[in-house]
Amino acid sequence: IEGQVFDASTGQPLRKASISMSPMRVSAAMAAAGPRSYGATTDATGKFSVSGLEPGQYRVNATHTGFLIAQYNARRPNGPGAPLELARGQKTTGVDFRLTPHGIIAGHMLDEDGDPLQGVQIQLMRMTYNRGRKQLQQYNGSNSNDLGEYRISGIQPGKYYLCALYRGRLNMMNLNGSFSIAGGPAQQQEDYAPTFYPGVTDIAAAVPMDMKPGQQL
């Protein structure tokens, strides 16, 4: 197979992107030899080529630092793609990818005196539906360091809320303010109430962030 990898935001080719091919359905000979994966790296013009493939069905992924992972023929970043079917002796060209730059959110955690807080859980959350009920579910997160700094990367486009927790582990928050903790009952939050950006304790007053591809906040 042959193809090329591009930056979806600029249209420029991406060098040093990694291509991986994982077999989903393979020939009897390959199955007898055991599982095998194939891969390649794009050149300075973003092009790649993988040869010597056994016939079968493959899932093809493209990755690059600073970009969201993409499956071949996926309609959205990090979304499911279509498998690639290869017959014996077949040459397939135009296996192209357009990688979306990931978003980044960074900032500082401060206490009421303006001093940095270490070990604060910062959770990036988005609205989901569970049995017909709206809930905020954790999508990504980070912890503040000794300077109170935090940085969350790998964010795909969408609308998110930011929540800071000083103690305990929040996995899901219902709109009525109750907590759902994975693997056990809700725990008492100590020292500080869960705080939503831009510094409120009521989810109804929280300000959602609409992340664009590659945006840095």
Side-chain angles (χ1 to χ4, degrees):
I1 71 168
E2 294 178 353
Q4 198 169 6
V5 180
F6 301 91
D7 183 332
S9 60
T10 65
Q12 296 298 312
L14 284 175
R15 64 179 181 181
K16 297 182 180 179
S18 297
I19 307 298
S20 61
M21 300 183 62
S22 302
M24 299 176 62
R25 181 173 54 79
V26 296
S27 63
M30 184 176 179
R36 180 180 177 186
S37 297
Y38 300 87
T41 303
T42 58
D43 61 17
T45 62
K47 294 181 179 179
F48 69 91
S49 175
V50 185
S51 60
L53 292 158
E54 284 288 334
Q57 195 176 70
Y58 292 86
R59 178 180 288 110
V60 189
N61 294 336
T63 59
H64 193 287
T65 302
F67 293 82
L68 297 169
I69 188 172
Q71 284 191 24
Y72 179 60
N73 270 339
R75 295 184 177 182
R76 57 182 174 80
N78 286 350
L84 189 64
E85 186 82 33
L86 297 174
R88 188 166 299 280
Q90 179 180 345
K91 180 178 181 180
T92 302
T93 60
V95 184
D96 298 339
F97 295 86
R98 286 167 175 79
L99 301 187
T100 301
H102 67 67
I104 295 172
I105 295 177
H108 292 81
M109 297 305 306
L110 307 174
D111 65 13
E112 64 273 23
D113 298 317
D115 295 325
L117 275 175
Q118 182 179 3
V120 179
Q121 255 190 13
I122 302 92
Q123 298 188 345
L124 192 65
M125 313 181 81
R126 57 185 174 185
M127 201 68 71
T128 62
Y129 283 90
N130 183 20
R131 297 179 180 177
R133 297 179 60 190
K134 271 188 175 182
Q135 294 179 318
L136 282 178
Q137 187 172 21
Q138 183 178 352
Y139 164 77
N140 203 336
S142 179
N143 292 310
S144 59
N145 62 17
D146 59 320
L147 300 177
E149 301 170 337
Y150 72 90
R151 184 176 186 272
I152 305 173
S153 61
I155 305 172
Q156 61 181 324
K159 185 174 290 186
Y160 299 92
Y161 292 85
L162 204 61
C163 179
L165 297 171
Y166 193 61
R167 293 286 177 90
R169 182 170 181 83
L170 171 67
N171 276 356
M172 192 171 293
M173 171 173 281
N174 301 328
L175 285 183
N176 61 10
S178 63
F179 295 94
S180 299
I181 308 298
Q187 301 173 11
Q188 180 68 32
Q189 303 293 318
E190 300 175 8
D191 297 333
Y192 294 96
T195 305
F196 295 89
Y197 178 80
V200 297
T201 56
D202 184 1
I203 177 60
V207 176
M209 293 171 288
D210 193 5
M211 294 292 295
K212 302 295 190 296
Q215 187 175 14
Q216 298 188 28
L217 297 177

